[in-house]
């Protein structure tokens, strides 16, 4: 017998490794940067550590149930890339882990509003609700004892350097560094993903 928790933990690690090694293969001849691949291997160990957190696993299960085709894999990819950026910037293992956690659960609040996932256009009421997903995610994760820094990353990942973001409209250094990383990475992931209303951008176009 394999418990649901063990199943989602196993699936998460497998999915994380899949994306990580697609970006940073183990084969030396396939790599453009040995350094980034070394960082990827360290982050894969952090992902295994995340897979032991039952509260985080319950959120991952919720993401899979809500949208296994888009939201869940998007969350994994955002976590993989955010972890690589954080590590390459020289953040500590602990800070990188928190950034990966924040990225992984950055859109958990959308599970409360599944009809808005992937939409191109929102009416006024829908947009107001959508903009609450960061606050929802913050409170959900804090209530389940997810690290407070990771929760702040979730709350602030739609803030913008010029103060035009949400939910608080904070700017510049007021935005946690992890949230700045996730904001850039999530934008990149969104652009390189095919949507019902457009084709995916190439990596070069997205950058």
């Amino acid at each position: 017998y394999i418990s649901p928790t063990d199943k989602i933990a196993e699936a998460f690690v497998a999915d994380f490794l899949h994306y990580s090694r697609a970006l940073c293969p183990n084969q030396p001849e396939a790599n453009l940067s040995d350094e980034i691949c070394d960082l990827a291997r360290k982050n894969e160990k952090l992902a295994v550590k995340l897979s032991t957190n039952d509260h985080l696993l319950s959120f991952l299960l919720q993401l899979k149930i809500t949208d296994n085709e888009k939201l869940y894999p998007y969350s994994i990819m955002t976590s993989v890339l955010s972890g690589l950026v954080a590590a390459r910037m020289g953040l500590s293992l602990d800070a990188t882990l928190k950034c990966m956690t924040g990225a992984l659960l950055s859109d958990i609040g959308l599970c409360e509003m599944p009809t808005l996932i992937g939409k191109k256009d929102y009416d006024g009421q829908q947009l107001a609700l959508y903009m609450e997903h960061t606050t929802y995610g913050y409170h959900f994760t804090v209530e389940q004892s997810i690290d407070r820094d990771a929760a702040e990353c979730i709350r602030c990942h739609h803030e913008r350097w010029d103060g035009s973001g949400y939910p608080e409209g904070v700017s510049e250094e007021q935005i946690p560094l992890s949230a700045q990383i996730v904001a850039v990475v999530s934008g990149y992931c969104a652009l390189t993903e095919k949507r019902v209303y457009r084709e995916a951008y190439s990596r070069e176009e997205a950058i």
Side-chain angles (χ1 to χ4, degrees), residues 91-178:
L91 273 65
S92 67
L93 286 177
D94 183 59
T96 299
L97 180 67
K98 292 174 181 179
C99 185
M100 288 167 57
T101 304
L104 188 63
L105 301 180
S106 59
D107 284 336
I108 189 64
L110 289 176
C111 292
E112 290 295 299
M113 46 194 86
T115 60
L116 301 185
I117 296 172
K119 283 179 65 69
K120 178 184 179 182
D121 298 310
Y122 303 99
D123 62 31
Q125 185 176 10
Q126 289 174 331
L127 180 59
L129 178 59
Y130 177 84
M131 290 173 66
E132 289 291 326
H133 81 272
T134 55
T135 303
Y136 281 32
Y138 171 80
H139 289 295
F140 292 160
T141 51
V142 167
E143 288 171 2
Q144 293 300 317
S145 301
I146 297 298
D147 181 89
R148 180 74 64 157
D149 289 339
E152 283 291 343
C153 176
I154 293 166
R155 187 172 70 91
C156 295
H157 79 280
H158 277 288
E159 300 287 5
R160 295 295 178 260
W161 190 256
D162 63 0
S164 64
Y166 61 87
E168 301 295 335
V170 297
S171 62
E172 300 184 4
E173 301 297 340
Q174 294 175 297
I175 306 169
L177 179 57
S178 61

Side-chain angles (χ1 to χ4, degrees), residues 16-139:
F16 191 99
L17 292 181
H18 169 75
Y19 287 113
S20 179
R21 295 186 181 179
L23 291 168
C24 306
N26 273 327
Q27 297 85 353
E29 65 275 9
N31 296 326
L32 296 177
S33 168
D34 290 337
E35 180 187 4
I36 201 70
C37 291
D38 289 342
L39 295 175
R41 301 295 86 82
K42 291 179 181 178
N43 285 358
E44 289 165 8
K45 293 179 180 178
L46 294 180
V48 172
K49 183 176 181 179
L50 288 178
S51 74
T52 64
N53 185 320
D54 287 348
H55 295 302
L56 183 140
L57 293 176
S58 69
F59 285 126
L60 287 180
L61 182 59
Q62 192 173 355
L63 287 169
K64 283 183 73 72
I65 291 171
T66 301
D67 186 358
N68 193 40
E69 295 298 318
K70 296 287 185 181
L71 185 59
Y72 172 77
Y74 172 82
S75 300
I76 301 290
M77 187 61 167
T78 302
S79 183
V80 171
L81 281 173
S82 295
L84 287 173
V85 172
R88 184 64 181 83
M89 289 176 66
L91 273 65
S92 67
L93 286 177
D94 183 59
T96 299
L97 180 67
K98 292 174 181 179
C99 185
M100 288 167 57
T101 304
L104 188 63
L105 301 180
S106 59
D107 284 336
I108 189 64
L110 289 176
C111 292
E112 290 295 299
M113 46 194 86
T115 60
L116 301 185
I117 296 172
K119 283 179 65 69
K120 178 184 179 182
D121 298 310
Y122 303 99
D123 62 31
Q125 185 176 10
Q126 289 174 331
L127 180 59
L129 178 59
Y130 177 84
M131 290 173 66
E132 289 291 326
H133 81 272
T134 55
T135 303
Y136 281 32
Y138 171 80
H139 289 295

